[in-house]
Amino acid sequence: MFVLKNAWMSLERHPWRSITTVLIALVVAFATLFGWSVQAAETTAAGPGEQALKPAAAIRPTAATLAKRNGADASWTKHYLSWDDYTKYATAAQSTNLQFSYTFLESAPVRQSSSLTAIAGSADQPASKTGGELTMTGLYTADALQDNEAGQIRIVSGKAIDYTGQAEANRHEALISQALATKNHLKVGDKVTVGRPGDATKTFTLTVRGIYAYTTPDASAPAKLAKDNRDNTIYTGYYAFNSNGLDANNAKGWAIPDLNIVFKLSSMGDYRQFTKAVKAAGLRATHEVSSSTVTRYRASIAPLADLAHCMRLGLLIAWIVGGLLLLALVILNLRNRGGEIGTGLVIGVSRGRLGWQFMLEVLMPTVAGAAIGILAGAFASGPLGSALASGHATAPDAGIIWHTIGWSALAAVVLAVIALVRVFLFQTTTLFTTREEAAR
């Protein structure tokens, strides 16, 4: 009790020094727990999390190829892949014993009418050059929307379309964008007329079954042509697309449908195997295998990766600055205490008891601050990381908490040992100069 009482009294004599020690230890411990939690979450997300994906793979033009696209030049359709192309790639993948399922979507420009006017582009061309002001996309299944180049959608009014197309009425159902519906004052149940890309005199009628809005950002630049504005896209089932003559085998120019088959794979390993097989089968240099599943996932964990990068630097700064400040406070606490040590030795106090007192003066505020920091970090790391990393969980597990406790305890012990060494290095030959030292 004598040692503990003396240590406490020493801390009370220097309250600001003691409080500063507590705060520094708290900040360093909290930063350590939070930083390690974020890094562990990022490692899991980039490793096991990504490997657990079931990617949807598509074969599409590269960014360099798309950069040369001219929506008013019908020769661009030479870059479209045919059923024969996809059959070759699928056969090559199957030859490696790869199992997969598929869905597909087809797109073609269609012409506006008095009942459905497109949202204008910034530099529109006549429909005779572009094929039309609107784009009609036929979906084989609902899953096709998961890998839609324009983005993912949600129904804001009405219902989703029937992809089976078994009923005659279902073959004329369509979804239009909220922006397009607003421009044309349309509602669910209204009928609209559009024209085929190759012949403006051939029209067909669609019924608005639902109105949609995109849930993903528009990654493309502002559309020069109306048909390239994703809000001008009309979504139908494949049977509606086909029954209205847009999947014609003998089509020319913009009337040629743009076929996109999406291969649904079971793992990232299968995705890599599929990519390798398709390339080996002679994939065009203008095309590449990509996956919106992987792209979206990596985009979703990008904030977590950025936060983990910041925390690596932040932890380094916290450890260096915090360690140096705590060391400076320990040295400041030991300064000019030779007289106190000498007096204690003269009256019979052992070096061990004096050393233990000095150690407690370091341990009490340091351990208290670290304990508060670890406790706060255990509760706050999850919500704080979620706020800074777009909702990703960064709560610490037991291993991280115990590691933080261990390293905090080690740091406190090292600082305490420095105080202990000060006592044991005290030279008894200086006892006769303690009065002079005290005066200074």
Side-chain angles (χ1 to χ4, degrees):
M1 290 298 296
F2 171 79
V3 172
L4 182 59
K5 180 181 179 181
N6 282 354
W8 182 256
M9 290 176 61
S10 177
L11 293 176
E12 287 184 327
R13 286 196 298 270
H14 305 283
W16 290 111
R17 186 186 302 168
S18 303
I19 292 172
T20 302
T21 301
V22 171
L23 291 177
I24 293 172
L26 185 158
V27 169
V28 173
F30 181 91
T32 299
L33 186 62
F34 177 61
W36 283 350
S37 298
V38 169
Q39 291 179 41
E42 192 269 338
T43 299
T44 299
E50 182 170 307
Q51 294 306 311
L53 294 177
K54 296 182 178 181
I59 305 172
R60 290 182 176 147
T62 63
T65 302
L66 288 173
K68 300 175 183 178
R69 179 180 180 273
N70 181 358
D73 181 3
S75 67
W76 172 261
T77 56
K78 67 184 179 183
H79 293 292
Y80 291 171
L81 297 180
S82 67
W83 280 103
D84 289 339
D85 292 322
Y86 279 111
T87 298
K88 179 178 67 172
Y89 299 142
T91 301
Q94 288 175 329
S95 68
T96 65
N97 298 319
L98 190 63
Q99 300 295 317
F100 55 83
S101 59
Y102 73 93
T103 185
F104 67 87
L105 56 161
E106 281 191 296
S107 299
V110 291
R111 303 196 181 198
Q112 64 183 3
S113 68
S114 58
S115 62
L116 186 62
T117 304
I119 299 169
S122 61
D124 276 326
Q125 297 286 327
S128 58
K129 290 185 177 181
T130 64
E133 300 84 1
L134 302 158
T135 295
M136 188 165 167
T137 298
L139 308 166
Y140 184 58
T141 64
D143 289 346
L145 275 172
Q146 298 300 313
D147 206 67
N148 180 31
E149 288 181 285
Q152 295 180 314
I153 65 172
R154 64 181 176 90
I155 305 298
V156 297
S157 180
K159 298 180 180 180
I161 53 179
D162 183 344
Y163 295 97
T164 63
Q166 294 176 349
E168 180 63 27
N170 293 342
R171 300 189 181 189
H172 302 282
E173 294 176 340
L175 302 177
I176 64 172
S177 72
Q178 197 168 30
L180 197 59
T182 300
K183 175 177 174 61
N184 290 275
H185 308 289
L186 296 172
K187 61 183 183 300
V188 174
D190 287 346
K191 296 183 183 298
V192 296
T193 299
V194 295
R196 295 181 185 175
D199 189 345
T201 63
K202 294 181 179 179
T203 63
F204 54 92
T205 301
L206 300 169
T207 301
V208 178
R209 180 175 173 87
I211 297 173
Y212 70 85
Y214 287 98
T215 60
T216 51
D218 189 355
S220 62
K224 291 183 178 181
L225 300 178
K227 71 173 182 177
D228 295 330
N229 183 336
R230 66 178 187 169
D231 282 322
N232 285 330
T233 301
I234 303 169
Y235 292 104
T236 68
Y238 168 71
Y239 295 98
F241 186 90
N242 182 43
S243 64
N244 286 299
L246 295 177
D247 191 16
N249 293 327
N250 58 350
K252 297 180 180 180
W254 287 118
I256 299 173
D258 183 10
L259 172 64
N260 282 284
I261 296 181
V262 180
F263 299 87
K264 300 160 68 176
L265 305 166
S266 300
S267 67
M268 284 296 291
D270 285 355
Y271 174 62
R272 288 188 286 269
Q273 183 179 342
F274 177 84
T275 301
K276 184 178 180 179
V278 169
K279 289 181 178 179
L283 178 64
R284 300 182 189 179
T286 55
H287 286 65
E288 64 182 354
V289 179
S290 62
S291 172
S292 63
T293 310
V294 177
T295 300
R296 285 195 300 269
Y297 180 77
R298 289 176 177 171
S300 74
I301 67 172
L304 180 60
D306 291 341
L307 181 59
H309 176 74
C310 290
M311 288 311 303
R312 290 185 184 95
L313 179 60
L315 281 179
L316 185 62
I317 294 173
W319 291 337
I320 294 175
V321 175
L324 290 175
L325 287 175
L326 288 174
L327 179 61
L329 287 169
V330 170
I331 294 173
L332 183 62
N333 182 51
L334 299 175
R335 186 183 175 207
N336 297 331
R337 297 186 69 177
E340 181 182 343
I341 297 172
T343 301
L345 293 175
V346 168
I347 65 175
V349 180
S350 67
R351 289 180 184 268
R353 294 185 71 183
L354 284 172
W356 181 231
Q357 175 191 324
F358 278 42
M359 289 181 70
L360 285 176
E361 292 175 16
V362 174
L363 288 172
M364 285 194 289
T366 305
V367 171
I372 296 171
I374 292 171
L375 186 63
F379 285 101
S381 288
L384 180 59
S386 180
L388 296 176
S390 299
H392 286 280
T394 56
D397 57 26
I400 292 174
I401 293 174
W402 280 111
H403 271 82
T404 307
I405 291 173
W407 283 104
S408 297
L410 178 61
V413 169
V414 169
L415 292 171
V417 168
I418 292 173
L420 174 66
V421 170
R422 171 70 178 89
V423 174
F424 277 88
L425 290 181
F426 179 78
Q427 300 294 322
T428 55
T429 55
T430 64
L431 287 175
F432 297 104
T433 62
T434 53
R435 184 180 300 275
E436 180 182 348
E437 182 181 336
R440 289 199 300 269

